[in-house]
Amino acid sequence: MEAKKKYFMDCHLAGRMYHEADEVWDKLKVGTKVELVREADNRYDPNAVMVCYNDQENDEQVCLGYVPRNQNNTIALLMDMGYADIFECRINQIDERAHPEQQVHLTVKIMKKEVI
């Protein structure tokens, strides 16, 4: 049986204290699926990849932070080339006692493209 998704990378959630993670903090759990959103017009990082939580209760997308600058190049490149839908990102660790930049850790997997 062939895997439908494979491990790509782990990282922490960068910039968490500058964004809206606190607004949905009680909804974030290990295993929570989050969305990667390319932000090519980011003035601080041309390879910026935002990490968002889709808050279905309030029907809004909440920016939690970013994939760290030193780890976003390949994801940004693939997203720019039209492969944004191959990524699955989930929270793999939450440590409320850690520094805000180290409180949330993510796992990114690559989904297998279905061949028609």
Side-chain angles (χ1 to χ4, degrees), residues 3 42 47 78 108 110:
N42 184 298
N47 293 319
L78 288 167
V108 179
I110 297 179

Side-chain angles (χ1 to χ4, degrees), residues 4-114:
K4 293 192 182 217
K5 52 188 162 184
K6 292 197 177 189
Y7 173 83
F8 180 68
M9 67 178 267
D10 283 336
C11 65
H12 69 278
L13 177 67
R16 173 236 181 286
M17 60 189 176
Y18 302 108
H19 298 283
E20 295 81 38
D22 288 340
E23 292 179 20
V24 293
W25 188 255
D26 59 327
K27 298 176 184 179
L28 303 179
K29 310 282 184 243
V30 170
T32 298
K33 189 174 183 179
V34 291
E35 186 176 345
L36 300 179
V37 177
R38 183 70 169 95
E39 194 178 57
D41 61 349
N42 184 298
R43 64 182 176 156
Y44 301 107
D45 181 2
N47 293 319
V49 177
M50 192 172 15
V51 178
C52 298
Y53 171 74
N54 289 319
D55 186 359
Q56 295 176 1
E57 190 175 301
N58 296 314
D59 196 31
E60 67 179 342
Q61 190 173 60
V62 179
C63 175
L64 303 176
Y66 289 84
V67 172
R69 181 187 308 250
N70 65 343
Q71 292 179 277
N72 66 9
N73 188 38
T74 302
I75 293 175
L77 174 66
L78 288 167
M79 292 178 103
D80 289 347
M81 296 306 292
Y83 294 100
D85 61 338
I86 66 170
F87 296 106
E88 178 186 272
C89 186
R90 293 187 184 268
I91 295 174
N92 72 23
Q93 181 182 4
I94 297 176
D95 182 357
E96 294 184 33
R97 298 168 299 167
H99 182 278
E101 288 293 310
Q102 295 296 323
Q103 286 181 333
V104 179
H105 288 259
L106 308 166
T107 295
V108 179
K109 293 185 177 183
I110 297 179
M111 307 291 288
K112 182 175 179 72
K113 283 282 206 182
E114 296 298 323

